[in-house]
Amino acid sequence: TREKQIKLWSDLILSYCQHNNLQRLTVDNAEKLPLFHNTHQKYLFDYLLTKQGHLSREAIFIFLDSLATAGRAEWQDQRKKDAINIYWRTPSEWADIIQKWASDTGYSNSVLTVYELIEGDTGENTEFHNMDGELFRKAIAVLQKRGKAELFQGSTSDEDGVKFLNV
């Protein structure tokens, strides 16, 4: 029963984060999300609730930690475990999307800045527009390992360049 509950909550957290384009949470902020408040229905297990009718910090931590264990999230600091990157799409899944976009739009063998891709006009109307820069770089690192892209250091992180390789 506990495993099933963790799976259901994990799926719900991923869906909520995707719907709200949340890619990073702190445990403190997660406690305040409407996702973990339910005043109209009773939770299956009352021990997960606080007196205020929302999930306890401990329950939220268990669910977030289970996401990290499953590879769908990553603690920013493994020792503190107070902030977590949520992967409603894994870096590998994002890499596939970015590579397909570069191929479909003719950007193979082109160099673009990270800023152009995640904040500028070039990446506008893409799934990765306004993506967290750290997650974007992890996706590009996946493409690098596959031999499909190279990341070049700029003078600032926004000026980092990405070359999509036509391999």
Side-chain angles (χ1 to χ4, degrees):
T1 302
R2 180 185 166 117
E3 285 178 27
K4 179 69 173 174
Q5 186 178 35
I6 288 173
K7 170 75 171 114
L8 290 171
W9 269 104
S10 296
D11 291 346
L12 184 61
I13 292 166
L14 291 172
S15 294
Y16 181 87
C17 288
Q18 182 175 11
H19 178 76
N20 292 287
N21 198 26
L22 297 173
Q23 297 170 343
R24 184 173 290 152
L25 295 174
T26 64
V27 176
D28 289 339
N29 287 343
E31 285 184 288
K32 299 171 188 161
L33 292 176
L35 171 66
F36 298 115
H37 292 259
N38 190 344
T39 56
H40 302 298
Q41 296 178 5
K42 201 143 175 69
Y43 286 106
L44 182 58
F45 296 102
D46 287 337
Y47 71 89
L48 295 173
L49 293 175
T50 65
K51 291 179 184 174
Q52 293 81 25
H54 55 49
L55 267 136
S56 68
R57 181 181 183 92
E58 293 76 23
I60 292 169
F61 179 83
I62 288 168
F63 298 138
L64 293 178
D65 199 45
S66 73
L67 284 171
T69 301
R72 300 305 295 200
E74 182 179 26
W75 292 106
Q76 289 180 353
D77 183 334
Q78 191 62 33
R79 287 173 280 122
K80 291 194 323 191
K81 292 190 176 186
D82 60 352
I84 193 165
N85 297 323
I86 301 291
Y87 299 148
W88 35 272
R89 285 201 176 106
T90 64
S92 181
E93 291 167 336
W94 279 115
D96 293 340
I97 290 167
I98 294 166
Q99 181 182 352
K100 182 176 179 348
W101 171 85
S103 176
D104 290 351
T105 56
Y107 281 109
S108 293
N109 292 318
S110 298
V111 178
L112 301 163
T113 66
V114 169
Y115 177 84
E116 285 178 290
L117 292 165
I118 60 175
E119 294 183 41
D121 294 342
T122 305
E124 203 167 37
N125 299 320
T126 64
E127 293 181 68
F128 54 84
H129 194 256
N130 290 324
M131 181 181 196
D132 176 72
E134 184 180 329
L135 178 56
F136 184 83
R137 284 175 182 76
K138 285 182 182 200
I140 297 301
V142 170
L143 290 176
Q144 273 189 279
K145 286 179 186 171
R146 294 178 185 168
K148 302 288 185 178
E150 287 185 49
L151 183 65
F152 301 99
Q153 291 285 143
S155 56
T156 67
S157 61
D158 282 345
E159 293 175 357
D160 287 351
V162 178
K163 181 175 184 176
F164 295 102
L165 305 173
N166 191 14
V167 178

